[in-house]
Amino acid sequence: MKSCFKHLGFICILCASAANAITLDREAFTFISYDLNVRVEPEQQRLGVRGKIILRNDSQTPQKIAVLQISSSLDWRSVKAGNKPLQFVSQPYSSDIDHTGALSEAIITLPEAIAPKSTIELEVAYEGVIVLDATRLTRIGAPEDQANRSDWDQISAKFTAVRGAGYVAWYPIATEVANLSEGNSVFEVLGRWKAREAGSSMNIGFASPTVAGDATPPVSFCGGDELHAITHEGSPKFPWSRCSYQPLGLAVPAFTLADYEIVDRPTITIYNLPEHAVAAESYADAAEKASALITEWFGAQRRKAETADLARPDAAPFESGPLLLTPLMNSDSKLAGLVAAHQLTHAAFSSPRPWIDEGLAHFAQALYLEQQKGRQAALDYMGLHRAAFAEAAKQTAAPRSEDEVNRALVNTTSEDLYRSKAMCVWWMLRDMIGEPALKKALAAYRPEEDKEPSYMPRLVQAQTQRDVEWFFDDWVYRDRGLPDFRVVSAFPRKMLTEGYMITITVENLGGAGADVPVTVRFKGGEMTKRLEVRAKSKGVIRVEVPTLAEQVIVNDGSVPESDMSNNTFKIVAGEVSK
Ligand SMILES: [Zn+2]
């Protein structure tokens, strides 16, 4: 009997912990403030962090447990509240949000339950190593070299570069499990984390080991507002820097520590490795040249763009707002200009909404190409991007209503959509309402006033007589797929004076409407007019040409379409009505 009770008791303990696990809400708290001191030891590849974080309960229920997560290569030392150590259980938590594929989770019992909207300040201490580790990629089958090209973060004696949430959890986060082998899971989890943190503030102090008086300390660099210093200009020197993000926005806090040289220009500061000095100068030149176009479209820079070099020549570039980490190897000025146009746009314009923030930065690249090489070069460039999201659209041929909402530009966490598709949307808007109107709408945008998804569409509508509500419905608020245009008929009629009037009927078989160019080709030239064709409808346009037309083509490639094979219509001679 006694042993039986014991047995039951054991089972009940299991029940209790299982219940606990189920009710653990990892995304209940928003980390509204970070104030951390980070000590980096490159020789040991180590990091030691002490500091304070403030958590706000953004859930509907009081929370007695808080979860803090850091990279699995780091260990929790202590967690305190009001100077008193708190009890916590430290456990590994498998998640692909970190390069190691796991997190060190501290499950903390708080002194009292935190009511919804209330906050608690925690004092934290943790440390460990950050070494090259691409486990999350190699375990799903990525070749090691390719995986390391993507997950290049590490602290090392020669070169240190570490990115934040989504790469290395070097500051505490709290997220549900993210799994690379489950579709968009990592992007979704990361997207939720970033959205929660957009209004938070972060202050980080970095310190690295002292160096002898005659040695040059490494240059530390981070993506936020920075202050560098070396105290004691004698011997030894104490290099330190402070970095702050107010607010964090969509930034991913990152830091580097290397023997950088600095190229400082009015629009951009470049931190380059000595062997990449030529490419650094070339990139700076390209940025200076692209800046006039970017200012004309997106206003003066709010802050200086910063680029830091990566040691690994094939490392994948990384961007976080106006910060770009990239191997500065290439001195091709055209390519540099294209990259700089994107980066400078982030330095001039920011939005908490990815389809605006990233969409416009990619749109700026298309504008840059158009300025350099003409409209066709821009259309070709957008065509490369279009392949990505057109493929995704095909897979959801019969879109479910939740996809229409989840995949909408205002909600999506898919990069293909908020980068590539959004770029095309901005381009179409420019074609529809004209350059001056779109520039005015962008100039009126204030990120701090962007509280509703309809804020930007309203700014655009305010600048034009034309109704653009339907366009935002089809392309931004919902994912209605893509248009599919075809020319149903083209009837030429000889005019009394001279030349021909062609009446063209265009049908849109797709679920999204657009304002599309219709081009009539004739001997010796062509004539283009624009026609609005809503989803599942037809539109008619009349075009005057000097001689008999040969061909009608709908869409020059500026409108993303699901099927471009049915866009040309041949006019057969003889079909002319008098
Ligand atoms: Zn960007």
Side-chain angles (χ1 to χ4, degrees):
M1 195 65 190
K2 205 177 174 186
S3 73
C4 190
F5 268 122
K6 221 169 151 184
H7 202 71
L8 274 175
F10 177 67
I11 286 170
C12 281
I13 287 166
L14 268 185
C15 297
S17 68
N20 237 337
I22 289 160
T23 54
L24 204 56
D25 180 359
R26 288 185 168 81
E27 299 188 1
F29 287 103
T30 300
F31 294 31
I32 58 169
S33 158
Y34 290 86
D35 198 348
L36 305 176
N37 283 305
V38 177
R39 183 159 182 84
V40 184
E41 306 273 356
E43 294 290 339
Q44 283 79 45
Q45 301 192 269
R46 285 189 77 81
L47 177 91
V49 182
R50 303 283 180 275
K52 288 176 178 166
I53 50 179
I54 300 173
L55 273 54
R56 183 182 63 215
N57 179 3
D58 280 345
S59 76
Q60 306 292 324
T61 50
Q63 300 288 332
K64 183 83 171 85
I65 305 279
V67 176
L68 304 182
Q69 300 163 335
I70 48 177
S71 177
S72 70
S73 66
L74 305 173
D75 293 309
W76 287 103
R77 286 287 168 258
S78 69
V79 181
K80 293 179 192 170
N83 241 344
K84 290 202 183 75
L86 299 182
Q87 277 200 354
F88 67 90
V89 179
S90 187
Q91 65 168 29
Y93 183 67
S94 199
S95 176
D96 288 332
I97 204 158
D98 188 81
H99 66 154
T100 62
L103 296 159
S104 288
E105 198 169 67
I107 300 168
I108 305 152
T109 308
L110 300 171
E112 66 227 24
I114 308 300
K117 299 291 155 213
S118 296
T119 60
I120 182 167
E121 185 180 86
L122 300 177
E123 217 180 310
V124 296
Y126 57 92
E127 56 200 43
V129 296
I130 296 176
V131 298
L132 189 66
D133 189 332
T135 304
R136 64 171 172 177
L137 295 172
T138 50
R139 75 180 175 199
I140 56 164
E144 194 169 336
D145 194 54
Q146 197 186 317
N148 289 340
R149 217 179 294 160
S150 171
D151 276 352
W152 39 254
D153 311 75
Q154 64 171 318
I155 295 174
S156 84
K158 275 194 75 179
F159 183 82
T160 293
V162 180
R163 297 165 287 183
Y167 302 91
V168 182
W170 61 268
Y171 48 87
I173 60 171
T175 52
E176 293 295 341
V177 64
N179 191 335
L180 277 173
S181 55
E182 275 172 26
N184 214 19
S185 153
V186 172
F187 286 111
E188 277 166 14
V189 172
L190 192 60
R192 286 204 303 272
W193 168 254
K194 281 185 170 181
R196 263 155 67 208
E197 292 297 301
S200 301
S201 71
M202 188 180 258
N203 275 298
I204 313 272
F206 289 99
S208 50
T210 58
V211 290
D214 53 345
T216 318
V219 179
S220 67
F221 164 82
C222 80
D225 292 317
E226 272 171 271
L227 183 66
H228 301 265
I230 301 160
T231 42
H232 291 260
E233 268 303 338
S235 182
K237 293 171 183 167
F238 302 99
W240 61 269
S241 66
R242 283 212 76 81
C243 186
S244 77
Y245 296 85
Q246 316 271 3
L248 205 46
L250 297 174
V252 175
F255 65 90
T256 64
L257 193 68
D259 294 325
Y260 281 137
E261 289 175 350
I262 298 176
V263 179
D264 198 18
R265 300 284 182 86
T267 53
I268 192 164
T269 306
I270 297 174
Y271 298 77
N272 66 282
L273 297 167
E275 60 270 31
H276 296 162
V278 176
E281 289 288 344
S282 159
Y283 189 74
D285 291 344
E288 295 279 285
K289 278 193 196 123
S291 77
L293 174 74
I294 303 308
T295 307
E296 182 193 317
W297 268 95
F298 306 99
Q301 283 182 277
R302 291 168 304 112
R303 50 173 303 179
K304 217 166 166 174
E306 291 179 302
T307 300
D309 205 352
L310 293 176
R312 196 185 156 108
D314 59 355
F318 162 77
E319 62 159 353
S320 168
L323 159 71
L324 176 68
L325 303 185
T326 187
L328 286 163
M329 299 287 289
N330 201 318
S331 45
D332 175 349
S333 63
K334 290 268 157 51
L335 191 66
L338 188 63
V339 175
H342 186 109
Q343 188 183 4
L344 293 180
T345 304
H346 285 311
F349 194 103
S350 95
S351 166
R353 301 183 190 278
W355 80 273
I356 299 175
D357 201 60
E358 286 303 341
L360 283 174
H362 286 280
F363 170 59
Q365 293 184 288
L367 292 172
Y368 171 82
L369 281 174
E370 185 188 45
Q371 188 202 48
Q372 297 288 310
K373 298 186 204 162
R375 181 174 169 98
Q376 193 53 49
L379 297 184
D380 291 345
Y381 177 71
M382 290 196 292
L384 296 175
H385 277 262
R386 204 160 51 228
F389 67 86
E391 197 47 48
K394 255 181 216 161
Q395 282 161 10
T396 52
R400 296 166 300 166
S401 60
E402 67 258 39
D403 288 338
E404 251 194 43
V405 175
N406 292 340
R407 292 175 48 84
L409 285 186
V410 288
N411 298 323
T412 185
T413 54
S414 157
E415 290 204 66
D416 289 340
L417 297 174
Y418 71 68
R419 290 178 184 273
S420 305
K421 186 175 180 180
M423 166 177 64
C424 296
V425 164
W426 289 109
W427 186 274
M428 287 190 284
L429 273 170
R430 184 188 72 152
D431 279 352
M432 276 171 79
I433 69 168
E435 216 167 286
L438 186 56
K439 282 178 182 163
K440 275 189 208 152
L442 296 176
Y445 183 84
R446 300 283 173 274
E448 62 280 6
E449 287 167 24
D450 189 346
K451 308 283 185 212
E452 311 270 323
S454 63
Y455 172 68
M456 179 59 105
R458 277 188 278 117
L459 293 180
V460 173
Q461 185 66 78
Q463 297 300 334
T464 178
Q465 299 292 317
R466 203 170 159 169
D467 168 27
V468 287
E469 183 68 26
W470 64 270
F471 179 83
F472 284 106
D473 274 340
D474 286 2
W475 291 90
V476 178
Y477 297 132
R478 301 267 159 177
D479 178 14
R480 298 248 160 85
L482 300 174
D484 177 13
F485 299 108
R486 71 180 193 105
V487 181
V488 180
S489 61
F491 293 115
R493 184 168 55 82
K494 189 142 184 30
M495 295 202 293
L496 287 173
T497 49
E498 57 179 319
Y500 295 84
M501 171 73 80
I502 309 184
T503 304
I504 303 161
T505 303
V506 174
E507 182 174 18
N508 179 358
L509 304 162
D515 182 70
V516 69
V518 178
T519 299
V520 180
R521 288 209 177 130
F522 49 87
K523 250 194 190 69
E526 59 177 43
M527 177 76 74
T528 299
K529 277 193 162 185
R530 304 190 66 87
L531 174 65
E532 184 181 303
V533 194
R534 304 275 178 100
K536 312 270 180 209
S537 348
K538 286 179 188 165
V540 176
I541 192 170
R542 285 178 186 83
V543 182
E544 246 180 79
V545 288
T547 59
L548 195 56
E550 295 165 337
Q551 218 177 38
V552 178
I553 301 155
V554 60
N555 196 2
D556 60 355
S558 58
V559 176
E561 233 189 289
S562 57
D563 181 4
M564 291 281 281
S565 69
N566 53 356
N567 290 36
T568 305
F569 186 90
K570 279 206 165 46
I571 298 175
V572 183
E575 276 184 18
V576 181
S577 41
K578 293 264 162 76

